[in-house]
Amino acid sequence: MKEKLKTFIFAELIYHEDPASFGDEDNLLDAGLDSMGIMRLIMFAEKEFGVTLPDTEIEPDNVGSLNKLENWIKRSGQA
Amino acid sequence: MQPFLAFKILLFTALVPGAVLFYIPYYWLVAPSASLQSPKLLLALPAGVCFILGTAIYLRCVWDFAIEGLGTPAPIDPPKKLVITGLYRRTRNPMFQGVLLLLLAECLLFANPALLVYALSIALLFHIAVVFHEEPGLSSRFGVSYSEYCRKVPRWGFALRAFSSDAA
């Protein structure tokens, strides 16, 4: 899951960072993920992993890093 | 209000809310489907109410930004101090809500499904922009006073008791 997310993020949303040196805990927002990028990322995750990510939970604690994003998707999938 | 400040606000309004409310929906959504020729007159009354309310909210917020904050709604020229007067005493993002009411007026008037999807996407985009960019920025600029304000005034809801910085 994390690799798919990372591939999408660095192919479609963030261009100036080196994916190889970007860690799972590194901050996606500091790396340049903007509002439109967050919206596209959520739409991608919902379609790719077949989950519904609640709008009320769209916050830095759930989208700030690859690990946080993966945890949020897994939690939402179990709900 | 200083003439140059008024000019900057007018320019911002024409460019940003103008694009969100008119240029994008008209040229991208309404004009291609030719729905503009058939506004739904039955919905004209609620659309008119939303339009008047949305316009009044936007103008009041812009006024507070200019008079109280000595700035504009543009991120490159924001208010110099935290604006917590007027509608901002009861809800943290009235300007976004005013723009959304204007979009709702368009949705009602033209009853165009693509326009409704567009409006919902804009609402989600506003939420993301507020949570991920605006709030962290205000928090770092205004620190404790902004945290206290956030604690008492809801992000999108409407506080029954108006916020007072004196009581903070």
Side-chain angles (χ1 to χ4, degrees), chain B residues 67-139:
Chain B
I67 301 301
E68 298 293 330
L70 304 173
T72 75
I76 56 167
D77 185 23
K80 310 293 180 283
K81 64 174 191 174
L82 187 61
V83 176
I84 45 176
T85 54
L87 295 168
Y88 288 92
R89 295 175 68 201
R90 293 183 184 273
T91 182
R92 296 214 297 269
N93 298 288
M95 196 180 297
F96 285 127
Q97 289 164 326
V99 172
L100 290 174
L101 269 175
L102 289 166
L103 265 180
L104 180 61
E106 291 179 3
C107 290
L108 287 168
L109 193 61
F110 296 110
N112 181 323
L115 202 52
L116 185 61
V117 172
Y118 170 75
L120 291 172
S121 303
I122 290 293
L124 184 58
L125 200 59
F126 281 174
H127 176 71
I128 291 171
V130 164
V131 173
F132 286 85
H133 302 291
E134 195 171 279
E135 287 181 356
L138 288 169
S139 189

Side-chain angles (χ1 to χ4, degrees), chain A:
Chain A
M1 181 184 283
K2 213 178 298 179
E3 277 312 306
K4 280 187 179 174
L5 290 168
K6 192 171 183 176
T7 303
F8 175 76
I9 289 168
F10 288 98
E12 302 283 340
L13 308 177
I14 298 174
Y15 303 106
H16 55 273
E17 285 273 345
D18 176 17
S21 62
F22 194 86
D24 294 347
E25 283 293 339
D26 288 346
N27 193 313
L28 288 165
L29 308 173
D30 291 345
L33 188 63
D34 60 16
S35 301
M36 189 65 89
I38 292 167
M39 199 155 98
R40 289 181 60 199
L41 178 57
I42 290 167
M43 288 165 68
F44 168 79
E46 287 188 331
K47 190 175 174 189
E48 182 71 27
F49 305 114
V51 294
T52 300
L53 301 170
D55 294 348
T56 51
E57 293 179 11
I58 302 174
E59 52 191 51
D61 281 349
N62 287 331
V63 190
S65 70
L66 283 166
N67 278 345
K68 288 175 179 172
L69 188 57
E70 184 186 48
N71 288 337
W72 184 36
I73 294 167
K74 284 180 176 170
R75 273 201 321 274
S76 301
Q78 289 164 356

Side-chain angles (χ1 to χ4, degrees), chain B residues 15-28:
Chain B
L15 289 177
V16 181
V20 170
L21 293 169
F22 178 72
Y23 313 127
I24 296 172
Y26 178 74
Y27 288 106
W28 185 43

